[in-house]
């Protein structure tokens, strides 16, 4: 997956505006947490985190520096889902995101993130659930990026 180039806008009066491949975007605040029964090397986790952040930034048109990715290895007996009346090991990707993104955008993102889970970690997509929790922008604070995230508005996606 290609890396995205992100540069600060030359306008010092717009600290929350970035340029992402010639498209101005507004910073936001996602926290992506994968709970899994599998174990991965540090290199696999780093590659997955970068690919997932790139995927999220591309689909949500935002600065990837605000994205935090956690990978929690719960062990082979740590996470279950019932399939055909039988418990099977499962994976769950929790996405804490800014309030207001429409369902179609979240669905497209979910499908793309499933592809990243499969490509980077070899997870079977039918064993990965994705859940979105939406938050007001002032519920996430990033000291190195100026504090609270700005609220999301539909015009941010244009």
């Amino acid at each position: 997956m290609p890396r995205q180039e992100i540069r600060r806008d030359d306008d010092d009066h717009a600290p929350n505006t970035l340029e992402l491949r010639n498209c101005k975007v507004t910073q936001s605040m996602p926290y992506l947490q994968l709970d899994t029964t599998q174990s991965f090397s540090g290199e696999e986790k780093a590659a997955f985190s970068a690919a997932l952040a790139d995927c999220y930034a591309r689909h949500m048109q935002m600065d990837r520096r605000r994205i935090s990715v956690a990978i929690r290895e719960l062990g082979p007996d740590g996470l279950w889902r019932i399939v055909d009346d039988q418990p099977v090991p499962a994976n769950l990707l929790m996405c804490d995101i800014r309030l207001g993104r429409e369902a179609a955008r979240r669905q497209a993102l979910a499908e793309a993130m499933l592809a990243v889970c499969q490509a980077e970690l070899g997870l079977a997509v039918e064993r990965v659930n994705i859940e979105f929790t939406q938050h007001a922008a002032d519920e996430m604070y990033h000291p190195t990026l100026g504090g609270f995230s700005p609220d999301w508005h539909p015009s941010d996606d244009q």
Side-chain angles (χ1 to χ4, degrees):
M1 180 169 280
R3 297 266 180 230
Q4 294 185 1
E5 183 177 311
I6 299 175
R7 297 183 306 270
R8 284 226 168 264
D9 194 331
D10 293 333
D11 181 1
D12 290 334
H13 302 290
N16 289 327
T17 302
L18 300 175
E19 182 177 301
L20 172 61
R21 291 189 182 168
N22 301 320
C23 176
K24 290 190 178 192
V25 296
T26 302
Q27 298 175 10
S28 65
M29 55 175 210
Y31 176 56
L32 311 174
Q33 178 178 297
L34 176 68
D35 289 341
T36 182
T37 59
Q38 297 188 31
S39 181
F40 303 100
S41 71
E43 289 147 356
E44 290 170 314
K45 291 176 189 178
F48 170 74
S49 296
L52 196 64
D54 287 344
C55 175
Y56 189 97
R58 184 174 51 256
H59 280 83
M60 299 302 244
Q61 299 179 337
M62 48 119 1
D63 178 0
R64 72 192 289 252
R65 295 176 305 162
R66 285 202 181 252
I67 302 167
S68 297
V69 178
I71 301 166
R72 297 183 345 149
E73 296 172 335
L74 304 176
D77 299 328
L79 183 60
W80 299 91
R81 183 172 315 121
I82 305 302
V83 176
D84 297 326
D85 293 325
Q86 297 297 316
V88 296
N91 305 281
L92 178 63
L93 181 57
M94 297 293 296
C95 304
D96 287 304
I97 65 172
R98 225 174 5 163
L99 182 65
R101 299 298 177 108
E102 66 277 1
R105 180 173 295 274
R106 291 190 316 270
Q107 180 176 347
L109 173 63
E111 291 168 358
M113 289 190 305
L114 285 172
V116 170
C117 289
Q118 184 176 42
E120 296 294 328
L121 298 179
L123 300 177
V125 295
E126 65 275 4
R127 295 290 182 256
V128 181
N129 278 17
I130 297 179
E131 295 184 10
F132 292 97
T133 303
Q134 297 182 67
H135 297 274
D138 66 359
E139 292 178 352
M140 298 277 185
Y141 190 84
H142 298 269
T144 60
L145 295 175
F148 290 116
S149 294
D151 287 326
W152 177 85
H153 300 284
S155 62
D156 291 347
D157 288 340
Q158 299 176 3

